[in-house]
Amino acid sequence: MANISEPLSPAFIGAAAVRGDLLVRIRRGAEYVAIPVFALVVSSVLFSVFLLALGKSPVEFFELVHRGGFGTAFSIQNTLQRSAPLILTALAVAVPARIGLIMIGGEGALVLGGFAAAVVAIPLVRGHVPPPITLIVMAAMGTFAGALWVGLAGYLRHARGVNETISSLLLTYIGIAIMNFFVEGPLRDLTNPNKPSTMPIGDAYMVGKMPGTDVHWGLATGIVLAIVLYVLLSRTTFGFAVRITGGNPRAALAQGLPVGKLIVLCCMLAGACAGLAGFFEVAAIQGRANASLAAGYGFTGILVAFLARHNPLAIIPVAILFGGIVASGGLVQRRMDLPDATVLVLQGLTFVVLLVSETLYGRFKIFQVSGTADRT
Amino acid sequence: MTDSPFLIVLFAIVGGALRVSTPFMFVALGECLTEKSGRVNLGLEGTLVLGAMTAYATSYHTGSPWLGVLAAGCAGVFLGGIHGYVCKLPKVNDIAIGIAMMLFGTGLAFFFGKSYIQPSAPRLGSFSLGEWTGNPQIATALEVNGLLIVGVLVAVVMAWAFANTKWGLIVRMTGDSAPAARAMGVSVDLVRFLATAAGGFLAGVGGAFLSLYYPGSWNQGLSSGQGLMAVALVIFARWKPLQCVVAALLFGAAGAIGPALQSVGITQGYYFFNAAPYILTLLIMIASAGSKQAMRDVPGELSIIK
């Protein structure tokens, strides 16, 4: 089993926590902040070299990212809007990672969650069921569809030993195909000739904006869920069992922990988060389910989770950072005449550099505290 | 005789299997080589896409599709080389790096490929395996490209080399037991680096087939998961090159069902048949991943099915 779920924040460091020495915890924790930040800097430098080689100005690029993502009140709201699905899809990677699984099916769970929510809305909207009830049912369906999808990958991992990384990505392709099948066939809204979509849920049924902002409630939901999952994973017996299983599945079995149940449960939690992201995309942005749901949030979420070292709390700022990068994509594209895949190159590069930076852990004396020597 | 819809569909599936299977075959052979050395490269999906783009661009600029194939292989060596190099560093997870390389390769391909979506580049030629029947329909259905033959030859040579040569033995030993390889004075990191780079070359060539022969154009939707399916296919093929060829043909056939039915006017469930290869891959993984046979044949150092 892949060992990707190292303890992530000071609170998880057993030896240090037992001593209760705040200074020790900060020093250990600093490593988990410093190295990802270092990786971000290195990938920015590499990306600048890439741009220079193409005759583009890196200064202009980062200036545009700043302006397009964080420069004005409007762009900040746009960024936060895009951070919401990123927080949720990153949680969909982080939770299974804590139990030692590299699950990358967030995109599929998001698409199916959004699709399920849009489908269940059709009869409810037609029957003039009050919006709050409709939205609750939609959210429940979206969550359930996502949980089912990622949970399936988790079940296959446990029951049959099917590699979860491959199966979850395959399930993503299957999920998108299922949506396309229904959206272009039986459930197509024939009044909309432009793009195959399901019936729109209508403005009256859309999720509203948070008071005083232009950002929908998905952001608040994502932040609350991140905090809840942080507490669940780091402060409860369940979280402790998950961490033991992630660290050493054999030891967990020997302890009599229900390893299979824990794995499936973690995966279902993960899928639920991604499915919820799909629900918000449908109920707060798109208003219907169509191919736009597969916009890549699930894949960017993988990177966000790894940068946050699978710590739910750290996911929030990282998701906002990447929400900004995604949000500024259009501006960068127009002003610098760069293809839309520029953001994809930056993300891929960051991801590679970040994973390579894993090798730095435990190499710097300044972070090391005697008695808490590296475990790997 | 050929008026029968059944035969038309059958030949369309066989012909489709021959065409569709080639990229699967190359990626699977590349992954087979890499995994034999004890490392998993999940990033071959990205290699496939970057290879397709590189091949198309090179063919467009030089006018020679075979140069394009070579360039695609070099692009594959580039991505495989990165993967092979960074995985030797301690604490670097080869599966996670694979995901990152998948995003990175796809991103690079889309970035540089933007300007090649419109222009038309010279394609690879084809010849028919069905000329002897004297039936033009069958002859067209059974048209194949030279790369298919190359792929089969590579598989035969690989199978022979694994069994009979010193190099083959070194790769297998590295994959089965790194300590044993070290004891024999073999540099595990070097062998894995070379195996990953060579595997990347093959996957890149598979990408060249996609853009230069079938479907025969470059666009961003060219590959959706073929590279990944090919990686899954290696488990099914039990890390044997010749079985990789058979498995690739099977996958090609699964992928050809949809278009074949469409050719006789059955368009219902097109998206379902589009999903058929993914579903087949998943079923095959379920059937083969945990089996005793797979456990026996898996290279000992491999992390993918533990």
Side-chain angles (χ1 to χ4, degrees):
Chain A
M1 193 164 286
N3 178 27
I4 55 159
S5 60
E6 289 170 54
L8 311 157
S9 75
F12 291 105
I13 314 298
V18 168
R19 278 202 243 151
D21 186 347
L22 191 66
L23 206 71
V24 169
R25 285 168 62 176
I26 290 176
R27 245 164 86 181
R28 277 303 297 232
E31 188 178 25
Y32 295 113
V33 176
I35 291 180
V37 168
F38 175 70
L40 269 180
V41 171
V42 169
S43 48
S44 304
V45 170
L46 285 178
F47 189 70
S48 302
V49 172
F50 176 77
L51 286 177
L52 280 175
L54 294 168
K56 306 276 181 188
S57 156
V59 178
E60 191 187 358
F61 176 82
F62 287 109
E63 207 263 321
L64 284 175
V65 167
H66 176 255
R67 200 183 330 152
F70 309 97
T72 62
F74 170 78
S75 57
I76 288 176
Q77 309 230 355
N78 189 9
T79 294
L80 291 177
Q81 189 104 303
R82 288 167 199 264
S83 320
L86 287 181
I87 293 176
L88 290 168
T89 51
L91 288 174
V93 177
V95 176
R98 301 302 282 274
I99 204 159
L101 301 180
I102 308 183
M103 200 58 93
I104 55 176
E107 183 88 354
L110 183 151
V111 166
L112 269 190
F115 172 68
V119 169
V120 77
I122 296 171
L124 295 175
V125 170
R126 269 201 202 127
H128 300 290
V129 177
I133 298 176
T134 307
L135 285 173
I136 288 171
V137 174
M138 282 173 71
M141 269 303 278
T143 312
F144 176 73
L148 192 74
W149 216 234
V150 182
L152 179 62
Y155 172 76
L156 290 176
R157 177 67 173 80
H158 174 68
R160 296 287 314 170
V162 176
N163 178 273
E164 78 284 356
T165 312
I166 298 178
S167 71
S168 60
L169 196 48
L170 284 174
L171 282 169
T172 292
Y173 289 118
I174 297 173
I176 294 174
I178 290 176
M179 184 196 66
N180 280 333
F181 171 73
F182 283 105
V183 163
E184 307 222 355
L187 291 173
R188 181 166 182 178
D189 173 15
L190 294 171
T191 58
N192 180 358
N194 301 323
K195 191 170 192 179
S197 308
T198 56
M199 299 288 288
I201 60 172
D203 288 343
Y205 286 85
M206 298 287 276
V207 170
K209 313 281 183 201
M210 294 190 289
T213 69
D214 206 24
V215 186
H216 64 75
W217 281 98
L219 181 69
T221 313
I223 291 174
V224 168
L225 259 177
I227 295 169
V228 167
L229 285 174
Y230 174 80
V231 173
L232 181 73
L233 288 171
S234 60
R235 293 276 183 271
T236 64
T237 326
F238 172 77
F240 187 57
V242 165
R243 280 179 356 249
I244 290 180
T245 312
N248 189 338
R250 277 198 200 118
L253 273 176
Q255 290 280 326
L257 288 173
V259 170
K261 268 187 203 154
L262 287 171
I263 286 179
V264 174
L265 211 59
C266 275
C267 293
M268 288 183 74
L269 268 176
C273 290
L276 206 55
F279 157 74
F280 278 111
E281 281 303 290
V282 164
I285 311 262
Q286 315 268 359
R288 52 177 70 82
N290 58 34
S292 313
L293 276 178
Y297 284 123
F299 295 116
T300 309
I302 303 171
L303 174 56
V304 171
F306 271 87
L307 256 175
R309 297 194 56 80
H310 308 300
N311 179 339
L313 287 186
I315 280 175
I316 301 169
V318 178
I320 292 174
L321 175 68
F322 275 82
I325 293 176
V326 174
S328 64
L331 186 68
V332 170
Q333 216 176 314
R334 282 193 305 278
R335 292 287 178 82
M336 294 183 71
D337 192 27
L338 285 168
D340 49 356
T342 312
V343 173
L344 217 55
V345 175
L346 177 61
Q347 286 181 2
L349 192 64
T350 309
F351 206 166
V352 174
V353 172
L354 174 76
L355 291 172
V356 172
S357 76
E358 297 270 314
T359 194
L360 297 176
Y361 285 91
R363 286 206 187 176
F364 300 106
K365 280 231 173 73
I366 186 164
F367 299 124
Q368 301 313 310
V369 183
S370 57
T372 61
D374 201 73
R375 296 157 315 280
T376 45
Chain B
M1 160 194 143
T2 47
D3 291 340
S4 144
F6 173 73
L7 280 179
I8 294 177
V9 169
L10 186 69
F11 276 113
I13 290 178
V14 172
L18 292 177
R19 273 193 299 275
V20 178
S21 63
T22 310
F24 281 120
M25 195 182 296
F26 276 97
V27 178
L29 288 172
E31 183 68 17
C32 181
L33 179 59
T34 307
E35 288 190 11
K36 273 280 187 190
S37 78
R39 195 172 274 160
V40 179
N41 183 359
L42 275 191
L44 289 184
E45 170 76 13
T47 311
L48 192 75
V49 180
L50 187 65
M53 195 286 297
T54 314
Y56 201 77
T58 309
S59 171
Y60 174 72
H61 285 301
T62 64
S64 161
W66 287 102
L67 263 183
V69 173
L70 190 68
C74 293
V77 169
F78 167 67
L79 288 185
I82 295 179
H83 189 289
Y85 180 77
V86 300
C87 282
K88 76 168 195 186
L89 302 168
K91 291 184 208 161
V92 174
N93 180 306
D94 57 351
I95 291 184
I97 281 281
I99 303 169
M101 294 304 290
M102 203 185 305
L103 293 179
F104 184 52
T106 318
L108 276 184
F110 289 0
F111 183 91
F112 289 111
K114 185 89 190 275
S115 48
Y116 297 104
I117 294 177
Q118 283 298 331
S120 175
R123 315 285 153 79
L124 294 166
S126 64
F127 59 91
S128 177
L129 292 177
E131 292 285 4
W132 52 271
T133 56
N135 183 320
Q137 264 178 312
I138 297 178
T140 323
L142 295 185
E143 268 184 0
V144 295
N145 172 261
L147 279 179
L148 174 72
I149 313 293
V150 175
V152 174
L153 283 178
V154 168
V156 172
V157 170
M158 252 171 78
W160 174 80
F162 278 143
N164 296 303
T165 65
K166 186 183 159 195
W167 284 95
L169 182 66
I170 288 176
V171 171
R172 282 193 292 135
M173 177 171 67
T174 314
D176 277 329
S177 165
R182 278 194 203 99
M184 296 292 290
V186 171
S187 164
V188 172
D189 289 336
L190 182 67
V191 170
R192 289 186 181 162
F193 170 75
L194 292 176
T196 316
F201 185 90
L202 288 174
V205 170
F209 181 91
L210 280 179
S211 62
L212 291 178
Y213 185 69
Y214 184 82
S217 66
W218 159 252
N219 63 64
Q220 300 199 348
L222 194 59
S223 164
S224 44
Q226 277 108 316
L228 186 85
M229 284 188 266
V231 171
L233 192 146
V234 178
I235 302 171
F236 173 57
R238 310 226 177 290
W239 299 272
K240 292 182 175 120
L242 291 177
Q243 291 191 16
C244 284
V245 172
V246 176
L249 283 170
L250 184 70
F251 270 63
I257 293 175
L261 286 177
Q262 230 183 3
S263 69
V264 292
I266 303 175
T267 52
Q268 274 243 307
Y270 176 73
Y271 279 95
F272 171 74
F273 285 113
N274 250 358
Y278 308 120
I279 297 170
L280 181 71
T281 312
L282 196 60
L283 291 178
I284 280 176
M285 284 188 72
I286 294 168
S288 59
S291 73
K292 278 184 188 148
Q293 192 103 48
M295 288 302 168
R296 203 184 58 202
D297 292 337
V298 62
E301 293 277 314
L302 214 57
S303 58
I304 198 159
I305 71 163
K306 272 178 201 159

